[in-house]
Amino acid sequence: MVQILIEPTPDCHECSAPIDTVRHTLEECAAWGPQRHDLMSIIGRDLSLSSVVDQMLHSEKNWLAVTSFCEDVMSQKESNTDRGLSLGALLYGVNGDNRRYLCHLGREPMSGCHHCDTGDEETALQTLQECPAWTEQRRDLVAHTRSDT
């Protein structure tokens, strides 16, 4: 996040580790020990990014466990500091796809999903699990992942 000028320093604001990365948050940061324990009880002890993605695609239970971990950690990071937008931007749309981020920047008039008219806020979770505009792609992805197992 320092490299893309979202954070002034690379350190972890939760545990003061010298560098806060996705790997650090997922595997190491003491602040997220209880959430990590809950996650590992469902998907196993290997929290490498490739293993987590594999586990997410393995079952809906695993998918929900990982998304729950991410949502819990992100909401706490956002409420604990004034840099929540930076973290949300990183995970939910630095590439410009997330309307909440763009709305906060004043570049979009609203944060609602522009793919459907449900009025739901556009987030990664809403896109991946709920948005009716992506139903067919979701169905194809599920069918593809089930055929690989």
Side-chain angles (χ1 to χ4, degrees):
M1 289 193 294
V2 171
Q3 291 174 333
I4 57 175
L5 305 176
I6 291 176
E7 284 287 351
T9 64
D11 60 312
C12 176
H13 297 279
E14 279 66 48
C15 74
S16 300
I19 298 179
D20 188 9
T21 62
V22 172
R23 182 178 170 268
H24 169 75
T25 299
L26 188 59
E27 297 180 39
E28 302 164 355
C29 186
W32 315 118
Q35 293 89 341
R36 184 179 305 109
H37 178 269
D38 291 346
L39 177 63
M40 289 188 312
S41 72
I42 296 170
I43 70 166
R45 301 194 57 78
D46 184 357
L47 294 177
S48 65
L49 291 178
S50 61
S51 177
V52 170
V53 170
D54 286 344
Q55 288 299 318
M56 287 177 74
L57 296 175
H58 183 71
S59 74
E60 184 175 359
K61 180 180 177 184
N62 292 357
W63 177 276
L64 293 174
V66 174
T67 57
S68 176
F69 173 87
C70 293
E71 288 174 347
D72 189 22
V73 168
M74 289 304 301
S75 67
Q76 287 188 49
K77 282 188 174 196
E78 289 173 0
S79 67
N80 289 343
T81 68
D82 61 357
R83 65 187 171 68
L85 175 63
S86 302
L87 293 165
L90 181 66
L91 291 179
Y92 291 115
V94 162
N95 63 4
D97 291 335
N98 185 265
R99 296 213 57 189
R100 177 174 44 156
Y101 179 64
L102 294 174
C103 182
H104 183 81
L105 294 176
R107 294 176 57 199
E108 285 286 343
M110 59 178 228
S111 63
C113 179
H114 64 281
H115 297 287
C116 66
D117 59 3
T118 63
D120 293 337
E121 181 177 49
E122 183 179 308
T123 64
L125 185 63
Q126 185 266 349
T127 300
L128 290 170
Q129 291 185 333
E130 301 162 3
C131 181
W134 302 104
T135 301
E136 186 176 329
Q137 290 85 351
R138 245 189 320 277
R139 189 175 21 247
D140 291 347
L141 177 63
V142 170
H144 177 72
T145 57
R146 287 189 178 148
S147 69
D148 288 346
T149 57

